[in-house]
């Protein structure tokens, strides 16, 4: 594009200022209407986040863009406006937090990823067996337990109310975070209401009659491959990724091929009539995965001791350091910090942070208010209790 030599930067900036003045007036008018939306949602109990409505607004307005070169950038602006509107709605509606003594699973629809025998299934069963308000002992026939193929389907089901509670893996002590889980929680209207630290013991299993010398193909989740990499490097096997460890056990059981094996837990041996070919093949014997208990309700247990937030800062020198300084000033112990790329904004990141505390504490309230002012985005994912349950392998 040719640039005329007659253009004057001062005049161009004056034109931009004039447009900005009009934008501020229109944005203020829009937020005044958003305030009415917030009042309606408060009266009716409707959720702040309406994914379908947001997509409709963005898509409808993008159709009006004449210069397609600008479409991507206008989409970013529209999404930022929507995010600001949600923040304002949260401010006007106030807290809808429900404080309880302990998690209540009675008559609740509970979801997990995989099939019976998966580690998420084990966590779910342990939670139910350790819960005082749950008496049903026949877990296999429980009609309120649902399984999903992947994390995305599970989170979507919690988000739209098809299930009340979900069991979602978030991080492994050997290979780190389960990245899609963090992104999914941030995108949806999901609350973290509990955490379980579950010991993982991987085993190599094959069908009845197979031997380790027969094996050519290994099936499992990619996290299991990473957690057992030292064992796998000793063998010339083809690794086939599956969406879940227990699904891989069911798969080789159905195939009935002695050349196939899977990496899964011991429970799948009985469930899918398999043979254990090699036990405890993790790189590290002390192998744990953190599972989040998620809900579409903001439930806080009285003795909750951990808080998760997602936030972002301006792309300028020292911005992140200033944000983290707030935790030091209010004597809050930050136990986890991870960066994740922001959607539609290359080389910009949001930060996932875990710290110890309870939302009822004054220093926590003041710190979050400081973070809200310092950052350009803040979402409190949950204030929850860390459950150290008796393991049920």
């Amino acid at each position: 594009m040719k640039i005329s030599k007659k253009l004057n930067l001062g005049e161009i900036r004056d034109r931009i200022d004039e447009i900005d003045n009009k934008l501020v007036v229109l944005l203020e008018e829009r937020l005044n209407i958003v305030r009415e939306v917030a009042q309606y949602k408060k009266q009716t109990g409707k959720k702040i986040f309406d994914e379908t409505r947001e997509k409709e607004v963005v898509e409808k307005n993008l159709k009006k863009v004449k210069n397609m070169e600008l479409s991507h950038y206008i989409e970013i602006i529209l999404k930022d406006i929507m995010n600001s509107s949600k923040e304002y709605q949260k401010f006007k509606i106030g807290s809808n937090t429900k404080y309880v003594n302990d998690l209540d699973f009675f008559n609740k629809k509970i979801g997990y990823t995989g099939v019976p025998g998966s580690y998420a299934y084990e966590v779910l069963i342990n939670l139910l067996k350790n819960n005082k308000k749950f008496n049903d002992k026949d877990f296999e026939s429980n009609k309120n337990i649902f399984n999903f193929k992947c994390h995305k389907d599970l989170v979507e089901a919690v988000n739209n109310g098809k299930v009340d509670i979900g069991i979602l893996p978030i991080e492994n002590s050997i290979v780190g975070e389960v990245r899609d889980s963090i992104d999914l929680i941030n995108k949806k209207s999901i609350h973290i209401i509990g955490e379980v630290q579950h010991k993982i013991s991987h085993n190599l299993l094959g069908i009845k009659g197979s031997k380790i010398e027969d094996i050519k193909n290994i099936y499992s989740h990619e996290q299991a491959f990473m957690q057992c990499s030292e064992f796998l490097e000793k063998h010339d096997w083809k690794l086939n990724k599956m969406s879940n460890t227990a699904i891989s056990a069911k798969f080789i059981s159905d195939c009935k091929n002695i050349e196939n094996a899977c990496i899964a837990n011991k429970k799948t041996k009985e469930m899918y009539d398999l043979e254990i070919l090699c036990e405890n093949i993790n790189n590290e014997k002390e192998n744990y995965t953190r599972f989040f208990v998620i809900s579409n309700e903001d439930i806080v247990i009285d003795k909750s001791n951990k808080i998760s937030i997602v936030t972002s800062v301006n792309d300028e020198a020292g911005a992140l350091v200033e944000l983290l300084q707030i935790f030091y000033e209010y004597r809050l112990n930050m136990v986890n910090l991870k960066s994740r790329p922001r959607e539609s904004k290359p080389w910009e990141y949001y930060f996932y942070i875990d710290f110890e505390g309870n939302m009822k504490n004054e220093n926590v309230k003041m710190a979050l208010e400081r973070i809200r002012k310092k950052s350009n985005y803040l979402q409190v994912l949950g204030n929850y209790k860390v459950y150290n349950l008796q393991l049920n392998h």
Side-chain angles (χ1 to χ4, degrees):
M1 184 176 70
K2 293 183 179 179
I3 300 176
S4 172
K5 293 181 180 179
K6 294 180 181 180
L7 288 178
N8 181 288
L9 183 58
E11 290 178 0
I12 294 171
R13 285 174 173 170
D14 287 341
R15 284 158 55 197
I16 289 175
D17 288 343
E18 186 179 342
I19 293 170
D20 286 344
N21 289 336
K22 293 177 182 177
L23 280 174
V24 168
V25 172
L26 290 170
L27 287 171
E28 186 174 1
E29 184 180 344
R30 191 184 195 281
L31 286 171
N32 283 331
I33 298 172
V34 167
R35 180 173 58 197
E36 295 177 15
V37 173
Q39 290 171 350
Y40 174 81
K41 288 182 178 179
K42 188 172 185 178
Q43 290 171 2
T44 60
K46 289 193 70 175
K47 287 184 179 181
I48 290 173
F49 180 56
D50 186 339
E51 186 177 14
T52 304
R53 168 64 179 164
E54 287 196 11
K55 285 182 178 178
E56 286 175 358
V57 171
V58 172
E59 290 171 4
K60 176 177 65 177
N61 285 291
L62 285 178
K63 289 177 182 177
K64 300 172 186 176
V65 179
K66 295 177 181 178
N67 184 349
M68 296 312 295
E69 183 183 16
L70 304 177
S71 183
H72 168 70
Y73 304 98
I74 291 174
E75 181 179 0
I76 292 172
I77 293 169
L78 287 170
K79 287 181 177 179
D80 281 343
I81 290 172
M82 302 294 281
N83 287 333
S84 298
S85 295
K86 283 185 288 188
E87 286 295 309
Y88 185 49
Q89 287 183 62
K90 288 177 187 177
F91 171 72
K92 294 305 295 181
I93 290 174
S95 175
N96 286 324
T97 304
K98 182 194 295 183
Y99 288 91
V100 297
N101 292 323
D102 203 355
L103 291 178
D104 184 3
F105 294 102
F106 182 72
N107 264 348
K108 300 289 186 183
K109 292 175 290 204
I110 310 170
Y112 69 98
T113 50
V115 292
S118 69
Y119 292 108
Y121 181 78
E122 281 192 339
V123 170
L124 186 156
I125 298 305
N126 284 330
L127 275 169
L128 296 181
K129 285 186 174 181
N130 282 273
N131 191 267
K132 296 175 183 177
K133 298 180 180 180
F134 194 89
N135 297 317
D136 189 354
K137 301 300 180 184
D138 191 8
F139 300 108
E140 303 299 329
S141 62
N142 192 306
K143 294 180 180 179
N144 278 337
I145 295 177
F146 301 86
N147 65 310
F148 297 87
K149 291 182 179 179
C150 62
H151 300 153
K152 183 179 178 181
D153 290 348
L154 171 64
V155 173
E156 184 63 44
V158 175
N159 181 68
N160 60 32
K162 287 184 179 178
V163 296
D164 302 302
I165 293 171
I167 309 299
L168 184 72
I170 195 71
E171 184 179 31
N172 178 262
S173 59
I174 296 176
V175 297
E177 77 262 30
V178 182
R179 294 181 179 180
D180 66 330
S181 294
I182 294 176
D183 292 336
L184 285 166
I185 293 175
N186 185 35
K187 289 177 184 177
K188 303 293 182 179
S189 182
I190 298 298
H191 302 278
I192 304 166
I193 61 173
E195 179 189 311
V196 178
Q197 297 177 1
H198 191 69
K199 189 168 186 179
I200 306 296
S201 178
H202 289 308
N203 306 273
L204 185 71
L205 299 103
I207 65 170
K208 286 288 179 69
S210 65
K211 299 177 182 178
I212 200 164
E213 297 81 28
D214 301 322
I215 304 306
K216 294 182 180 179
N217 304 299
I218 308 292
Y219 296 84
S220 197
H221 190 276
E222 62 179 342
Q223 284 264 331
F225 289 147
M226 290 188 285
Q227 292 165 29
C228 304
S229 59
E230 293 175 9
F231 172 81
L232 293 171
E233 285 169 1
K234 298 173 184 177
H235 304 273
D236 186 23
W237 292 328
K238 182 182 178 182
L239 306 184
N240 302 275
K241 293 180 183 179
M242 305 286 281
S243 61
N244 184 267
T245 54
I247 287 175
S248 68
K250 186 177 185 302
F251 174 79
I252 69 162
S253 177
D254 292 341
C255 288
K256 293 181 171 53
N257 185 340
I258 62 169
E259 294 183 348
N260 294 338
C262 72
I263 297 175
N265 64 38
K266 286 184 179 179
K267 275 195 173 180
T268 57
K269 175 180 180 291
E270 287 77 27
M271 286 184 169
Y272 302 108
D273 195 31
L274 300 175
E275 197 90 51
I276 294 181
L277 304 179
C278 194
E279 293 185 71
N280 300 321
I281 61 173
N282 318 313
N283 294 350
E284 302 289 339
K285 299 308 175 188
E286 293 301 308
N287 181 15
Y288 290 85
T289 293
R290 294 170 62 211
F291 286 83
F292 277 159
V293 184
I294 59 173
S295 171
N296 54 22
E297 282 189 285
D298 187 7
I299 299 170
V300 176
I301 295 174
D302 290 341
K303 295 181 181 179
S304 291
N305 50 13
K306 204 170 185 182
I307 299 170
S308 291
I309 65 171
V310 168
T311 186
S312 63
V313 294
N314 294 325
D315 187 15
E316 56 188 43
L320 179 58
V321 173
E322 289 178 13
L323 181 73
L324 299 181
Q325 182 70 18
I326 296 171
F327 291 92
Y328 173 77
E329 290 176 14
Y330 288 92
R331 298 293 186 266
L332 297 174
N333 185 30
M334 186 173 64
V335 293
N336 199 355
L337 169 65
K338 290 182 173 61
S339 63
R340 298 291 300 135
R342 294 184 69 183
E343 189 177 323
S344 303
K345 294 191 176 185
W347 317 121
E348 289 190 25
Y349 300 86
Y350 68 81
F351 300 95
Y352 168 83
I353 300 173
D354 293 331
F355 64 96
E356 294 175 350
N358 188 289
M359 293 289 286
K360 290 183 177 180
N361 297 342
E362 284 302 315
N363 63 326
V364 171
K365 292 178 184 177
M366 291 187 290
L368 288 174
E369 186 57 32
R370 283 276 306 280
I371 292 170
R372 192 179 300 278
K373 291 177 180 178
K374 177 62 67 175
S375 65
N376 51 36
Y377 173 74
L378 172 66
Q379 181 181 0
V380 179
L381 298 176
N383 185 190
Y384 51 93
K385 182 179 178 181
V386 179
Y387 290 89
N388 295 305
L389 303 176
Q390 183 179 356
L391 299 177
N392 179 43
H393 286 296

